[in-house]
Amino acid sequence: MLRLPRVYPITDVGITGLSHAEQVSRLSDGGASFVQLREKNLTPRDFYEQAKVALAVAHSRKVQLIINDRVDLALALQADGVHLGQDDLPPEAARTLLGPQAIIGFSTHTLEQARKAATLPIDYLAIGPIFRTATKADTAPEVGLAGLNSVRGAVGNLPLVAIGGITPANAQDVIEAGADSVAMISALLSSRNIADCIRALLLSLELP
Ligand code: 3NM
């Protein structure tokens, strides 16, 4: 079973003004061992080129790197895995293409979706948005801490990542409500020092 770090950082070029590779480098400086590359604006070709550099940085630092949405890029780059949304290639198809070793994560937004997802060939489930977020447009309604707790109960011991509106101030509550890991974009990437921010978070949320 996949053991995720307590903090699940996701890159965002718009927020940081930094390349994906530079973000991986700073996150790794702060102790990140797992990063998702998320890119919503570049062409597949440009994302491929940027992700290639980011992956070289990640693997030189023993950081696992997964690609948001794009199974083709994950496959072409030999990334560690892919994170899929409800409208991406189905997880079963991604598993067939990427093989048994790849990490496959899957986003859900309701208890019902989470229940269904628990039977799929995935390594972890994401549920969100937990709180209101400005980072992603058109999100589903907020799940809240009580909703997160219900999802935890419904998916057994499948690794569970909470996402959406999570900050250093509420991360502990999110873990206590049942998340194994907290995904963070804006609260982490808009901090003055990304490495210091994730280092402090990892320390404060340490696994038992
Ligand atoms: N997915 P922030 S919410 C990428 O609900 C993403 O599935 C969500 O960014 C979902 O940490 C979200 O800045 C944005 O709130 C998370």
Side-chain angles (χ1 to χ4, degrees):
M1 176 121 50
L2 178 66
R3 197 167 152 87
L4 286 166
R6 281 294 198 210
V7 185
Y8 179 122
I10 302 176
T11 60
D12 189 312
V13 172
I15 289 174
T16 54
L18 302 171
S19 68
H20 290 287
E22 180 60 28
Q23 292 176 71
V24 170
S25 167
R26 292 186 190 194
L27 289 162
S28 153
D29 285 344
S33 54
F34 184 99
V35 177
Q36 181 196 124
L37 291 197
R38 181 171 184 267
E39 173 57 62
K40 296 287 185 183
N41 297 311
L42 291 177
T43 61
R45 179 164 192 132
D46 287 342
F47 187 29
Y48 172 83
E49 297 299 343
Q50 286 218 13
K52 197 168 163 182
V53 183
L55 190 67
V57 171
H59 284 178
S60 75
R61 292 160 168 256
K62 306 247 182 305
V63 171
Q64 290 188 303
L65 196 89
I66 71 166
I67 306 288
N68 189 44
D69 297 346
R70 307 288 307 236
V71 177
D72 53 349
L73 296 198
L75 191 59
L77 291 159
Q78 295 184 277
D80 295 286
V82 70
H83 182 88
L84 300 168
Q86 292 282 322
D87 296 330
D88 297 320
L89 209 56
E92 299 94 324
R95 179 62 72 201
T96 303
L97 287 170
L98 296 175
Q101 301 304 324
I103 297 170
I104 298 181
F106 187 47
S107 277
T108 63
H109 311 290
T110 63
L111 181 59
E112 193 47 41
Q113 285 178 355
R115 270 210 186 94
K116 279 198 191 135
T119 63
L120 297 172
I122 58 177
D123 297 285
Y124 72 89
L125 191 77
I127 178 77
I130 305 301
F131 306 117
R132 200 163 52 157
T133 177
T135 307
K136 182 180 179 176
D138 304 323
T139 52
E142 291 159 49
V143 173
L145 292 176
L148 167 61
N149 196 247
S150 303
V151 169
R152 169 85 282 166
V155 302
N157 60 359
L158 185 62
L160 183 60
V161 177
I163 186 164
I166 301 175
T167 69
N170 62 30
Q172 183 68 44
D173 291 344
V174 175
I175 296 284
E176 281 169 17
D180 294 301
S181 181
V182 289
M184 240 182 251
I185 304 182
S186 54
L188 178 58
L189 298 183
S190 57
S191 65
R192 203 169 31 84
N193 184 313
I194 292 170
D196 286 350
C197 184
I198 192 165
R199 189 180 298 110
L201 266 168
L202 284 166
L203 264 177
S204 72
L205 301 173
E206 227 161 45
L207 291 166

